[in-house]
Amino acid sequence: MQTKILLPEDHIPKQWYNVIPDLSSPLAPVVHPVTMQPVSPDDLLPLFPMGLIEQEVSTQRWIDIPREVLDIYQLWRPSPMYRAHRLEKALGTASKIYYKYEGGSPAGSHKPNSAIPQAYYNKIFGTKRIATETGAGQWGSSISLACQMFGLECTVYMVKVSYNQKPYRKSMMQLWGANVIPSPSNQTNAGRAILAAHPDSNGSLGIAISEAVEDAVGREDTRYALGSVLNHVCLHQTIIGLEAKEQMALVGDYPDVVIGCHGGGSNFAGIGFPFVADKANGKNVRVLAVEPASCPTLTRGVYAFDYGDTAKMAPVAKMYTLGHDFMPPGIHAGGLRYHGASALVSQLVHEGVVEAKSVHQLACFEAAVLFARSEGIIPAPESSHAIRGAIDEALQADEEGQEKTILFNLSGHGHVDMQAYDDFFAGKLTDYDYPEEAIRESLAQLPKVG
Amino acid sequence: MQTKILLPEDHIPKQWYNVIPDLSSPLAPVVHPVTMQPVSPDDLLPLFPMGLIEQEVSTQRWIDIPREVLDIYQLWRPSPMYRAHRLEKALGTASKIYYKYEGGSPAGSHKPNSAIPQAYYNKIFGTKRIATETGAGQWGSSISLACQMFGLECTVYMVKVSYNQKPYRKSMMQLWGANVIPSPSNQTNAGRAILAAHPDSNGSLGIAISEAVEDAVGREDTRYALGSVLNHVCLHQTIIGLEAKEQMALVGDYPDVVIGCHGGGSNFAGIGFPFVADKANGKNVRVLAVEPASCPTLTRGVYAFDYGDTAKMAPVAKMYTLGHDFMPPGIHAGGLRYHGASALVSQLVHEGVVEAKSVHQLACFEAAVLFARSEGIIPAPESSHAIRGAIDEALQADEEGQEKTILFNLSGHGHVDMQAYDDFFAGKLTDYDYPEEAIRESLAQLPKVG
């Protein structure tokens, strides 16, 4: 009974896949948050090194992965794919379920897939120091690791509530040499302004982004880094789906549906975009994003220009959004609580190429517990949304008398998230109703563009 | 630059290696704690299923791994081996350092290598329920996972101080379906007796063993399980070293020295015994156990018969021991704080086949930090002892103008141990002097055998 499907070392993809050429219309421009005019590559130079800006706007279909990046990728890549025999049996489904597992990286998630090349392109550009923000800490720990690998300094503005409540991720960042600052801080004008008005502020991702951006723009030796949403981040993550396609081919199979959880879009793009490419070539495959019902960006948001952050300092992009003022409820999947979405994922949803659905928190934890008890691996709360999506596909196929081949991405392990499981078992978690009023208010604040 | 050395799936070892035939004299008998007479296999039946008792006394050199165990092993096996290029560079050493990595299992350590077959042999024996103890929780989480995989109930007596202070491992056990009881508990006579005398007792591994043994012996449907020390546990772990030998051969190399950290002996036996076999066949290889200076069983203990537990309920074995009353200081490597050692490892040390050394806590954390910052992976505090051993071998070789090939076992990741790193960075950790007085007192309590 073959459970694990390994790709031989020398089959690791040597190029990332850029989905932009597959779009049926050009990607909407990114707009400056003050002038409301399209930004040029030069406008982005205070934030990013040229190598990443080029990737952000590239229309090349394949982009070479540098040797130095492959050298580090090989620590945990190619990542394994599994046939979930035990989960299938527990469900009694006639469908086949496969999952790609990204929890084997040193940081325990898919985030290093982009952190490593981001640090590399900064290094060759001459950047000495990176400023970034993190919520729950998955991105912060991954970029800390990457900076350590390339000899860059790293400062992470970590949302204060997580800094205090999720100390393990903070400790990982410090172990990897980063300077971790609880946000809002007194290190930036943005932080000081918040603290002056709200001395007890617990912070938010929007505020932390503002602090990191201000830090990076203010220092010549420093650039900013973001762990999701942007085109180049999605690009780097496609190594997940490229490997998965090869692994499916190794066992002579191909998925009917490919599933990823969705927050900003990076792990979803990673597993999904290489299959979007197949779809563009006429393959019959569905690509499905699963998001939390409490933060239903793709399923209940609008497709419009909006700011990337609360403080309106980040560029404005056309995307599905719940409004930059939207504050999602405090669900345990911290990595999925973003008001917006990747412009690429958004356009693909808008074009009908990619499907989206939302699921409730309790149903996700039920799926995660069933998964851990059948497959062994403990999923991160974020990843449990993809598991829920896969299980529901299998159950629905059974109802319809069909046998489907289902592939999902298990984006990270949950060893650092055990409190969430404790809360679930203790009955402390609830499902949140669709926050209709909050979203309506927040959507009234969209900027006017063009 | 090849960093990762993967064994092809179909090269996973199909047999474990039994080191007993390599001993130069017969293994001393295990003795009953009350009668002080050698135990027979039948004496052990209330504790273990027959399949494991047979392995405990087998003199067969190779023992088949059941298909059902291989099916689960393949979730994370063969485990990767790495050439530590970045660590070598950070040290500036002329030596080559390789490490085998066992942190990729669902529980994050090498412990499932024995938990899975233990659950399997219990299942086919007809056992319905397993009772066991755990200190910091590495073993408890692994046996919980294994019981879940084979549909067995599992009760874990967890040392109370860890139950309260290390909640994440407790949560993992519960997620995998185990019933976790803080020890001392009111579930057993042993526990009630302790609580009557010391209502605020924080527990100890010795007490927890007594509770689990009492639980198992008292119920026909229940057997006991132990995560280290015993011959069959060492046997199961040899899959680590067997894979490592094949991986070294894949890159045309062979170690001058093989290193494992040492507590009860399971991960050390795992990496070491297959090389002990080579040594018996005339190969020139050193096999080195590295233990904490605060619990220096192999280096400062005596080779004598002693009880396996504080309460004198567990069988008496001839081993290196600090005395069953010895309470080691509260260092962060909880998995290495055991007063005794595996009888097999002990005899091999006594015969001069295996070397042992002790290292201090702070030097281990320094090594772990250097490792995490060069190789990326965050080591468990236990594993850091092997890293320290490997680094010291490399530095010493440099001093002597030699180039060595060094192999060590990285037995687990430290994602659930970040508090230890926080304490290290905060300067809260200390080195403990060799506890001479405590050991002398404890050694005065050794039983008289034969």
Side-chain angles (χ1 to χ4, degrees):
Chain A
M1 187 171 77
Q2 190 180 8
T3 297
K4 185 164 64 175
I5 303 141
L6 279 186
L7 201 60
E9 285 291 274
D10 55 351
H11 283 223
I12 189 170
K14 307 294 189 299
Q15 299 179 307
W16 293 299
Y17 185 77
N18 181 6
V19 82
I20 291 179
D22 293 325
L23 299 174
S24 58
S25 59
L27 200 59
V30 170
V31 172
H32 194 283
V34 176
T35 66
M36 289 295 166
Q37 295 300 311
V39 298
S40 69
D42 279 354
D43 289 335
L44 295 173
L45 259 183
L47 289 175
F48 303 107
M50 192 46 88
L52 294 176
I53 295 171
E54 282 167 5
Q55 291 181 351
E56 192 64 19
V57 298
S58 173
T59 54
Q60 251 184 281
R61 200 178 284 275
W62 292 97
I63 294 180
D64 287 344
I65 305 176
R67 183 71 253 168
E68 294 83 349
V69 172
L70 285 170
D71 272 351
I72 299 182
Y73 271 179
Q74 66 158 319
L75 290 176
W76 72 94
R77 309 210 68 85
S79 71
M81 164 179 281
Y82 294 93
R83 169 82 185 273
H85 288 294
R86 288 182 184 78
L87 176 62
E88 292 170 18
K89 201 174 156 199
L91 292 170
T93 183
S95 287
K96 289 183 280 185
I97 303 178
Y98 295 88
Y99 59 98
K100 181 80 169 159
Y101 181 45
E102 293 293 310
S105 79
S109 80
H110 68 292
K111 291 289 186 191
N113 295 334
S114 184
I116 298 295
Q118 288 194 46
Y120 167 77
Y121 287 108
N122 271 289
K123 178 73 179 179
I124 60 169
F125 183 71
T127 306
K128 301 290 181 220
R129 180 172 167 276
I130 284 189
T132 192
E133 77 286 329
T134 200
Q138 286 278 13
W139 169 248
S141 53
S142 300
I143 190 74
S144 301
L145 166 70
C147 285
Q148 181 66 41
M149 290 280 176
F150 286 104
L152 300 172
E153 287 178 57
C154 183
T155 290
V156 183
Y157 294 88
M158 185 174 191
V159 176
K160 194 176 279 175
V161 63
S162 296
Y163 183 93
N164 291 327
Q165 288 179 3
K166 303 207 169 183
Y168 275 18
R169 289 253 163 232
K170 171 187 65 183
S171 309
M172 288 167 76
M173 295 179 229
Q174 288 167 337
L175 174 52
W176 281 317
N179 179 25
V180 189
I181 300 173
S183 166
S185 77
N186 59 10
Q187 310 280 305
T188 65
N189 292 328
R192 284 185 290 264
I194 296 284
L195 286 175
H198 310 282
D200 296 330
S201 169
N202 266 326
S204 74
L205 202 55
I207 296 166
I209 293 177
S210 303
E211 291 207 272
V213 166
E214 183 184 326
D215 179 323
V217 170
R219 283 180 59 165
E220 184 52 44
D221 66 347
T222 301
R223 290 293 178 279
Y224 171 69
L226 188 65
S228 192
V229 176
L230 299 177
N231 300 350
H232 66 264
V233 181
C234 295
L235 174 77
H236 301 152
Q237 295 291 353
T238 59
I239 194 162
I240 302 172
L242 294 169
E243 287 180 4
K245 271 167 71 168
E246 278 211 61
Q247 285 162 308
M248 294 298 287
L250 278 181
V251 291
D253 215 337
Y254 190 85
D256 296 304
V257 56
V258 178
I259 300 170
C261 64
H262 188 276
S266 77
N267 109 86
F268 172 74
I271 190 80
F273 284 1
F275 291 93
V276 166
D278 284 1
K279 212 173 156 84
N281 289 325
K283 268 275 196 187
N284 188 16
V285 55
R286 293 168 50 219
V287 184
L288 171 64
V290 183
E291 62 183 8
S294 55
C295 190
T297 315
L298 299 176
T299 52
R300 307 292 289 263
V302 298
Y303 186 53
F305 281 94
D306 197 5
Y307 301 98
D309 66 333
T310 320
K312 308 183 191 179
M313 292 179 66
V316 172
K318 191 165 185 189
M319 59 184 176
Y320 278 94
T321 179
L322 297 166
H324 56 274
D325 277 339
F326 178 67
M327 284 292 282
I331 58 167
H332 262 296
L336 305 184
R337 298 174 64 232
Y338 184 62
H339 71 274
S342 137
L344 286 171
V345 173
S346 294
Q347 183 163 339
L348 287 164
V349 169
H350 189 65
E351 289 178 358
V353 176
V354 161
E355 300 171 37
K357 69 179 282 188
S358 72
V359 290
H360 281 284
Q361 174 161 262
L362 292 180
C364 290
F365 274 98
E366 280 162 20
V369 170
L370 180 64
F371 185 86
R373 292 184 176 176
S374 51
E375 294 294 312
I377 299 171
I378 299 176
E382 289 82 0
S383 316
S384 73
H385 290 69
I387 302 174
R388 182 75 256 169
I391 289 177
D392 288 345
E393 285 287 328
L395 296 179
Q396 195 190 331
D398 290 336
E399 258 180 42
E400 295 167 357
Q402 294 186 328
E403 293 179 19
K404 279 192 191 160
T405 300
I406 299 162
L407 165 65
F408 73 88
N409 190 37
L410 188 68
S411 55
H413 72 58
H415 288 187
V416 195
D417 303 285
M418 295 312 300
Q419 184 63 48
Y421 286 96
D422 281 357
D423 290 349
F424 173 67
F425 285 123
K428 289 184 189 165
L429 300 189
T430 53
D431 283 335
Y432 291 93
D433 286 334
Y434 167 63
E436 195 150 5
E437 182 67 15
I439 292 175
R440 192 168 37 236
E441 281 174 21
S442 158
L443 286 179
Q445 307 299 322
L446 292 187
K448 291 200 175 22
V449 173
Chain B
M1 189 172 74
Q2 189 179 10
T3 298
K4 184 164 65 177
I5 303 141
L6 278 186
L7 201 60
E9 283 293 274
D10 54 352
H11 283 224
I12 189 170
K14 306 296 189 299
Q15 298 179 305
W16 293 298
Y17 184 78
N18 181 7
V19 83
I20 289 180
D22 293 324
L23 299 175
S24 59
S25 60
L27 200 60
V30 171
V31 172
H32 193 283
V34 177
T35 66
M36 288 296 164
Q37 295 301 310
V39 298
S40 68
D42 279 355
D43 289 335
L44 295 173
L45 260 183
L47 289 176
F48 303 108
M50 192 47 86
L52 294 175
I53 294 172
E54 283 168 4
Q55 292 181 353
E56 192 64 18
V57 299
S58 173
T59 52
Q60 251 184 281
R61 201 178 281 275
W62 293 97
I63 294 180
D64 288 344
I65 306 176
R67 183 71 252 166
E68 293 83 348
V69 171
L70 285 170
D71 273 351
I72 298 181
Y73 271 179
Q74 67 158 317
L75 289 176
W76 70 94
R77 307 212 72 85
S79 71
M81 165 180 280
Y82 294 93
R83 169 82 185 272
H85 287 293
R86 287 182 184 79
L87 175 62
E88 291 170 19
K89 200 174 158 198
L91 293 170
T93 183
S95 287
K96 289 182 281 185
I97 303 177
Y98 295 88
Y99 60 98
K100 180 80 171 160
Y101 181 46
E102 293 293 309
S105 79
S109 80
H110 68 292
K111 291 289 186 191
N113 294 335
S114 185
I116 298 295
Q118 288 194 45
Y120 167 75
Y121 287 109
N122 271 289
K123 178 73 179 180
I124 60 169
F125 183 71
T127 306
K128 301 291 182 220
R129 179 171 168 275
I130 283 188
T132 193
E133 76 287 328
T134 200
Q138 286 278 13
W139 169 248
S141 54
S142 300
I143 190 73
S144 302
L145 166 70
C147 286
Q148 179 64 234
M149 289 281 177
F150 286 105
L152 300 173
E153 287 178 58
C154 184
T155 290
V156 183
Y157 293 88
M158 185 173 191
V159 176
K160 196 177 278 174
V161 63
S162 296
Y163 184 92
N164 291 326
Q165 287 179 5
K166 303 208 168 181
Y168 276 17
R169 289 254 164 230
K170 171 187 65 184
S171 309
M172 289 166 75
M173 295 178 229
Q174 289 168 335
L175 174 52
W176 281 317
N179 178 25
V180 188
I181 299 173
S183 166
S185 77
N186 60 10
Q187 310 279 305
T188 65
N189 293 326
R192 283 185 292 265
I194 297 283
L195 287 175
H198 309 282
D200 296 331
S201 169
N202 266 329
S204 74
L205 202 54
I207 296 166
I209 293 177
S210 303
E211 291 206 273
V213 167
E214 183 184 327
D215 179 324
V217 170
R219 283 180 59 166
E220 186 51 45
D221 66 347
T222 301
R223 289 294 178 278
Y224 171 69
L226 189 65
S228 191
V229 177
L230 299 177
N231 300 351
H232 66 265
V233 180
C234 295
L235 174 78
H236 301 152
Q237 294 292 354
T238 59
I239 194 162
I240 302 172
L242 293 169
E243 287 180 4
K245 271 167 71 168
E246 280 211 58
Q247 284 162 308
M248 294 298 288
L250 277 180
V251 290
D253 216 337
Y254 190 85
D256 295 304
V257 56
V258 177
I259 300 170
C261 64
H262 187 276
S266 78
N267 108 86
F268 172 75
I271 190 80
F273 284 1
F275 291 94
V276 167
D278 285 1
K279 212 174 157 83
N281 288 325
K283 268 274 196 188
N284 188 15
V285 54
R286 293 168 51 219
V287 184
L288 172 63
V290 184
E291 61 183 9
S294 55
C295 189
T297 315
L298 299 175
T299 52
R300 307 293 289 261
V302 298
Y303 186 53
F305 281 94
D306 197 4
Y307 301 98
D309 66 332
T310 320
K312 308 184 193 179
M313 293 178 65
V316 171
K318 192 166 183 188
M319 60 184 177
Y320 278 94
T321 178
L322 298 167
H324 56 275
D325 277 339
F326 177 69
M327 284 293 283
I331 57 166
H332 262 296
L336 305 184
R337 298 174 65 232
Y338 184 61
H339 71 274
S342 138
L344 286 171
V345 173
S346 293
Q347 183 162 339
L348 287 164
V349 169
H350 189 65
E351 289 178 359
V353 176
V354 160
E355 299 170 36
K357 70 179 282 190
S358 73
V359 291
H360 281 285
Q361 175 162 259
L362 293 180
C364 290
F365 275 99
E366 280 162 20
V369 170
L370 180 64
F371 185 87
R373 291 183 178 178
S374 51
E375 294 294 312
I377 298 171
I378 299 176
E382 289 81 1
S383 316
S384 73
H385 291 69
I387 302 174
R388 183 74 258 170
I391 289 176
D392 289 345
E393 285 287 329
L395 296 179
Q396 194 190 330
D398 290 337
E399 260 181 40
E400 295 168 359
Q402 294 187 326
E403 293 180 18
K404 280 193 190 158
T405 300
I406 300 162
L407 166 66
F408 73 90
N409 190 38
L410 188 68
S411 54
H413 73 59
H415 288 188
V416 194
D417 304 284
M418 294 312 300
Q419 183 63 49
Y421 286 96
D422 281 357
D423 290 348
F424 172 67
F425 285 123
K428 288 184 190 166
L429 300 189
T430 52
D431 283 336
Y432 291 92
D433 286 333
Y434 166 63
E436 196 149 6
E437 183 67 14
I439 292 175
R440 192 167 37 235
E441 281 174 21
S442 158
L443 286 179
Q445 307 300 320
L446 291 187
K448 291 199 175 22
V449 173

